[in-house]
């Protein structure tokens, strides 16, 4: 059916359609790139604060002293509702106490030594989780990108019936784009299980909050905590009446005596120092994919039971396994390196997929060099913008405006790249700039 639209209007419509497709691809690429870098989240924290005291273990009594000391320093502030103690792990051998007001590192005697300064690491994690968009909007977008990745992986597999037969076929790069397509297809095959696992768990994490919100509105009168309780356990009823601080040391000693096969990695205290306080220990079971099992204790440190993340209902175990499977937090450094390589390959698949699409449009007569330059700015500019935020961490410090630096620099790069005439080699300039930034960062990061 002919709607009588002018050729100019049709051309603008096609350009808008292509730009929207590029926007979705750009967000997917940024999420994939930041996810690859976030695999080393603990290592980034150690690099940001190299002078923090490190230890393999900390005595239960030292943890008790640390908690009491931190809470005593907050007497003039509003009462802390949630307190967390990160216990030493292989990836992050530090003890850190976090409250509603502060986060501090303590030594093996429980003495407060320094403030936690991991602003860049938190920015990176939030960028991957939500694209720095607050609330459930960001989580929903990222979850939707996970669903998109599943669809792209499966449809790509269906669209290439000989994809496994040609798994190692690589043709020379040529004008027809066959070489680029071969790399896209080959890497797509080799990373397919990884891509599906990452996309599925990412969709679960991103869209889980929306599902829980719907359940809360429909069945729990809008109470989100009640909706989460069947999976992750419920918090106790608040009682603001003052009470002695819960016996964290006794709880940790009980863990060592009764459950020597698990390693405590976190202590949670809800409403500490009140009659309604709740004490929990998160411990990591051996040879399990779950992020941990929650052990509940009373105020005297007596064991009450577990939530069931490691041995409860199947749905609980699946939900508790999604995080580690997504971020590679199992198997130590070898698994992290594997995730780095596979994540990098997935970034290449996304980048080459859009480049192939742009090439096909050009061969059909839709030559749009501005879109091509814009995509090059996303592919190479995202890494450059991320490198600039890390340079800002080194030069300005923990308080640097990382979000503003990343998004503003990326926007400037995209605008400049699309505005420059075609004769300018935008991609080469971005590659050189990224290389220079990385070269400047490597000695600083490795040297601590």
């Amino acid at each position: 059916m002919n709607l009588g639209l002018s050729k100019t209007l049709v051309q603008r419509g096609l350009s808008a359609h292509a730009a929207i497709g590029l926007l979705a691809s750009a967000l997917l690429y940024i999420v994939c790139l930041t996810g690859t870098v976030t695999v080393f989240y603990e290592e980034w924290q150690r690099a940001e604060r190299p002078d923090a005291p490190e230890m393999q273990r900390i005595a239960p009594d030292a943890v008790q002293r640390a908690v009491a000391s931190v809470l005593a320093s907050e007497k003039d502030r509003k009462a802390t509702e949630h307190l967390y103690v990160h216990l030493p792990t292989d990836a992050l051998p530090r003890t850190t106490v976090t409250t509603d007001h502060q986060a501090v590192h303590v030594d093996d005697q429980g003495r407060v030594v320094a403030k936690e300064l991991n602003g860049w690491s938190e920015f990176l994690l939030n960028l991957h989780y939500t694209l720095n968009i607050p609330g459930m909007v960001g989580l929903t977008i990222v979850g939707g990108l996970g669903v998109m990745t599943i669809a792209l992986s499966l449809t790509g597999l269906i669209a290439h019936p000989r994809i496994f037969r040609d798994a190692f076929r690589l043709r020379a790069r040529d004008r027809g784009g066959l070489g680029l397509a071969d790399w896209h297809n080959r890497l797509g095959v080799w990373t397919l299980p990884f891509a599906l696992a990452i996309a599925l768990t990412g969709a679960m994490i991103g869209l889980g909050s929306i599902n829980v919100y719907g359940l809360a509105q429909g069945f729990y009168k809008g109470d989100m905590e009640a909706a989460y309780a069947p999976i992750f356990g419920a918090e106790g009823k608040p009682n603001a009446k003052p009470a002695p601080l819960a016996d964290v040391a006794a709880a940790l000693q009980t863990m060592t005596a009764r459950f020597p096969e698990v390693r405590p990695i976190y202590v949670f205290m809800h409403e500490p120092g009140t009659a309604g306080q709740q004490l929990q220990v998160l411990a990591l079971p051996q040879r399990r994919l779950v992020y941990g099992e929650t052990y509940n204790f009373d105020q005297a440190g007596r064991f009450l039971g577990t939530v069931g993340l490691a041995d409860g209902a199947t749905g609980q175990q699946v939900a508790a396994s999604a995080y580690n499977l997504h971020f590679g937090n199992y198997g130590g450094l070898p698994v992290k390196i594997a995730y780095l390589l596979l994540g990098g390959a997935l970034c290449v698949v996304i980048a080459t997929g859009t480049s192939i699409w742009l090439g096909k449009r050009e061969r059909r007569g839709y030559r749009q060099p501005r879109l091509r330059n814009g995509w090059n700015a996303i592919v190479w500019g995202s890494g450059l913008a991320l490198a600039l935020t890390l340079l800002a961490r080194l030069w300005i410090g923990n308080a640097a405006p990382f979000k503003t630096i990343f998004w503003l620099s990326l926007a400037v790069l995209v605008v400049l790249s699309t505005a420059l005439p075609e004769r300018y080699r935008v991609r080469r300039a971005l590659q050189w700039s990224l290389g220079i930034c990385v070269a400047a960062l490597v000695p600083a990061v490795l040297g601590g």
Side-chain angles (χ1 to χ4, degrees), residues 30 32 74 88 113 173 177 180 184 209 213 226 243 248 252 272 314 352 383 386 401 409 413 439:
I30 292 171
C32 183
E74 298 183 351
V113 175
R173 185 176 180 179
L180 193 64
H184 176 80
S209 297
Y213 178 80
V248 178
L252 291 174
T314 301
T352 55
L386 203 58
S409 59
L413 290 172

Side-chain angles (χ1 to χ4, degrees), residues 123-418:
F123 151 76
L124 177 66
L125 185 64
N126 185 257
L127 177 58
H128 176 67
Y129 256 118
T130 67
L131 292 170
N132 297 140
I133 302 173
M136 288 191 294
V137 175
L139 281 171
T140 304
I141 293 174
V142 174
L145 292 172
V147 175
M148 180 188 298
T149 303
I150 297 173
L152 289 172
S153 299
L154 295 178
T155 54
L157 183 64
I158 295 171
H160 299 85
R162 296 180 52 181
I163 197 167
F164 290 106
R165 185 188 305 175
D166 296 337
F168 297 96
R169 183 184 182 187
L170 291 172
R171 287 167 286 195
R173 185 176 180 179
D174 54 29
R175 294 182 179 179
L178 294 177
L180 193 64
D182 280 349
W183 275 110
H184 176 80
N185 294 336
R186 300 304 80 83
L187 290 176
V189 172
W190 300 337
T191 62
L192 182 61
F194 173 79
L196 289 176
I198 294 300
L200 180 60
T201 53
M204 289 174 58
I205 295 171
L207 299 178
S209 297
I210 300 300
N211 294 333
V212 172
Y213 178 80
L215 289 173
Q217 296 300 319
F219 300 97
Y220 296 96
K221 298 180 180 179
D223 189 343
M224 294 282 286
E225 290 184 2
Y228 273 118
I231 299 177
F232 300 107
E235 291 189 18
K237 294 182 179 180
N239 184 343
K241 182 180 178 180
L245 189 63
D247 198 337
V248 178
L252 291 174
Q253 290 165 356
T254 298
M255 290 294 300
T256 301
R258 293 190 57 174
F259 310 102
E261 72 282 0
V262 301
R263 181 176 183 176
I265 56 176
Y266 263 103
V267 173
F268 302 140
M269 296 184 70
H270 308 279
E271 311 292 340
T274 70
Q277 64 190 321
Q278 184 180 12
L279 176 60
Q280 297 176 313
V281 176
L282 182 70
L284 188 63
Q286 296 182 9
R287 296 181 295 276
R288 294 299 307 277
L289 194 58
V290 295
Y291 68 80
E293 175 61 275
T294 302
Y295 296 75
N296 293 316
F297 294 85
D298 66 11
Q299 298 183 28
R302 291 185 290 263
F303 178 62
L304 300 176
T306 63
V307 170
L309 298 176
D311 57 5
T314 301
Q316 280 184 289
Q317 297 186 51
V318 170
S321 300
Y323 184 88
N324 279 358
L325 181 59
H326 187 78
F327 286 101
N329 293 337
Y330 61 94
L333 185 60
V335 172
K336 289 190 173 187
I337 293 175
Y339 268 60
L340 175 67
L341 296 175
L342 290 169
L346 188 55
C347 290
V348 174
V349 170
I350 297 170
T352 55
T354 303
S355 296
I356 292 168
W357 173 67
L358 288 171
K360 287 181 178 180
R361 285 175 57 85
E362 290 173 357
R363 289 190 292 275
R364 291 171 182 170
Y366 300 107
R367 183 171 172 76
Q368 295 174 304
R370 294 182 187 275
L371 285 180
R372 171 73 70 174
N373 284 346
W375 179 245
N376 286 330
I378 291 296
V379 172
W380 301 104
S382 297
L384 178 57
L386 203 58
L388 290 175
T389 63
L390 191 50
L391 284 172
R393 174 64 178 87
L394 296 174
W395 295 339
I396 301 175
N398 191 66
F402 302 115
K403 297 178 185 179
T404 302
I405 293 172
F406 177 82
W407 289 108
L408 182 59
S409 59
L410 183 57
V412 169
L413 290 172
V414 171
V415 170
L416 286 178
S417 298
T418 55

